[in-house]
């Protein structure tokens, strides 16, 4: 039996799970709000490849500067699944605190056409420091993703405006 076939049989349940957390087409995104350090950055879709910041100030967005953030969010998948929150609320709260998701470092709210609003919470860095914990609010899975997720989500008005 070829080694590649044997290797494929060694996968555990988490290896086989779909790690897609958010999926949408950017043309269907109406609004994106990023809450970080008590400040909110809100961006609205104003037309084909046109975006505007409405909070904390009103200004046009250079869509090429926003493109990497949109790509990250419209295809957001996890590197790994690290935990499932227990059904017991007290235990779940302790797990959220452990991953920094009780008081998230970043909260992203997405308003997408023909979908329920989506909220992504980004917590602490992993012990190695090269990944962050995150989850989709309302789900019970906690994931990790490369720290580059933070780079895309920590952009400010000056980084995005025309």
């Amino acid at each position: 039996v070829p080694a590649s076939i044997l290797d494929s049989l060694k996968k555990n349940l988490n290896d086989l799970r779909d790690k897609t957390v958010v999926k949408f087409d950017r043309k269907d995104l109406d609004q994106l709000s990023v809450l970080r350090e008590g400040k909110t950055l809100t961006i609205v879709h104003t037309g084909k490849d046109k975006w505007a910041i409405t909070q904390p100030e009103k200004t046009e967005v250079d869509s090429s500067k926003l493109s990497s953030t949109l790509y990250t969010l419209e295809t957001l998948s996890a590197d790994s699944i690290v935990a499932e929150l227990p059904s017991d609320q007290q235990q779940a709260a302790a797990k959220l605190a452990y991953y920094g998701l009780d008081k998230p470092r970043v909260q992203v709210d997405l308003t997408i056409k023909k979908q329920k609003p989506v909220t992504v919470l980004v917590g602490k860095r992993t012990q190695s420091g090269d990944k962050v914990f995150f989850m989709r609010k309302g789900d019970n899975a906690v994931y990790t993703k490369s720290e580059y997720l933070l780079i895309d989500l920590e952009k400010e008005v000056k980084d995005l405006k025309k």
Side-chain angles (χ1 to χ4, degrees):
V1 180
S4 63
I5 292 176
L6 290 175
D7 287 342
S8 69
L9 295 175
K10 293 179 185 174
K11 293 183 177 187
N12 66 37
L13 187 57
N14 278 341
D15 293 333
L16 300 173
R17 283 180 63 181
D18 181 10
K19 294 179 184 76
T20 303
V21 180
V22 178
K23 187 158 182 67
F24 63 91
D25 190 317
R26 72 179 64 189
K27 71 178 174 27
D28 295 328
L29 181 65
D30 288 329
Q31 181 174 299
L32 158 70
S33 290
V34 180
L35 175 62
R36 190 181 85 247
E37 299 171 356
K39 298 176 188 166
T40 302
L41 173 69
T42 302
I43 301 168
V44 295
H45 197 180
T46 58
K48 188 178 189 295
D49 295 324
K50 292 189 178 190
W51 303 87
I53 295 172
T54 59
Q55 189 178 353
E57 63 185 71
K58 293 183 192 261
T59 186
E60 284 187 56
V61 171
D62 181 333
S63 60
S64 66
K65 293 178 181 176
L66 181 63
S67 187
S68 69
T69 302
L70 293 175
Y71 179 77
T72 295
L73 291 170
E74 71 187 341
T75 60
L76 184 58
S77 61
D79 293 342
S80 64
I81 302 168
V82 293
E84 295 284 336
L85 296 177
S87 56
D88 178 89
Q89 286 192 340
Q90 208 167 14
Q91 290 177 347
K95 281 268 191 194
L96 287 173
Y98 177 79
Y99 296 113
L101 295 164
D102 59 330
K103 297 175 185 164
R105 177 182 187 145
V106 178
Q107 176 176 314
V108 180
D109 296 311
L110 303 167
T111 306
I112 305 162
K113 286 180 178 66
K114 299 179 185 168
Q115 289 188 34
K116 291 180 181 177
V118 174
T119 297
V120 176
L121 307 173
V122 182
K124 296 177 184 173
R125 289 182 186 272
T126 59
Q127 193 170 10
S128 63
D130 62 339
K131 295 181 185 276
V132 292
F133 296 110
F134 78 104
M135 71 181 299
R136 183 173 172 158
K137 190 173 183 179
D139 288 355
N140 65 345
V142 177
Y143 307 97
T144 60
K145 183 74 176 169
S146 163
E147 67 180 328
Y148 292 111
L149 175 62
L150 284 177
I151 293 168
D152 279 331
L153 298 178
E154 291 184 339
K155 291 182 178 173
E156 297 179 15
V157 173
K158 65 180 172 61
D159 302 320
L160 296 169
K161 70 181 180 179
K162 276 191 172 180

